[in-house]
Amino acid sequence: MTPGARRVLQELSNDEDCDLIQEGRLAYCGYRPTTPRIVYELLGCMAISISWKEGTNATYYHINDTGRALLRRPELEREIAVALGKGPFSIIDDQIVYI
């Protein structure tokens, strides 16, 4: 994970009221601008989930349990990348568990 993605994930973790918002080619973490590339990176790591998108062009994201596990155990990112090719899995106690 890039340092920028980790910083956004940490900000989302530190402040439950902080939203990650993307509208077209604009993205914000709270009031701070970021990039859609960061959003896509976090989606690829399964670290964020869509909160809502109703009646607007913007999509709101929040940190999920996988994102919190990645902050606690950064090496989990590589394990997730390997697990994606092996079949369905869950993350329990910051470890990959195949279903």
Side-chain angles (χ1 to χ4, degrees), residues 6-60:
R6 181 163 300 285
R7 183 174 46 252
V8 166
L9 203 55
Q10 189 65 58
E11 288 176 27
L12 293 172
S13 177
N14 291 344
D15 183 0
E16 291 295 323
D17 293 329
C18 182
D19 287 316
L20 180 59
I21 304 164
Q22 181 179 359
E23 184 173 11
R25 290 190 275 166
L26 300 174
Y28 294 89
C29 182
Y31 295 107
R32 187 180 60 75
T34 187
T35 65
R37 192 184 110 238
I38 296 289
V39 175
Y40 297 134
E41 182 178 353
L42 292 173
L43 284 169
C45 293
M46 300 185 310
I48 56 174
S49 301
I50 295 176
S51 296
W52 61 278
K53 179 183 180 176
E54 186 177 316
T56 180
N57 292 332
T59 305
Y60 290 72

Side-chain angles (χ1 to χ4, degrees), residues 75-86:
E75 60 273 8
L76 186 59
E77 181 182 2
R78 280 178 299 219
E79 295 170 17
I80 289 172
V82 170
L84 286 172
K86 291 186 174 182

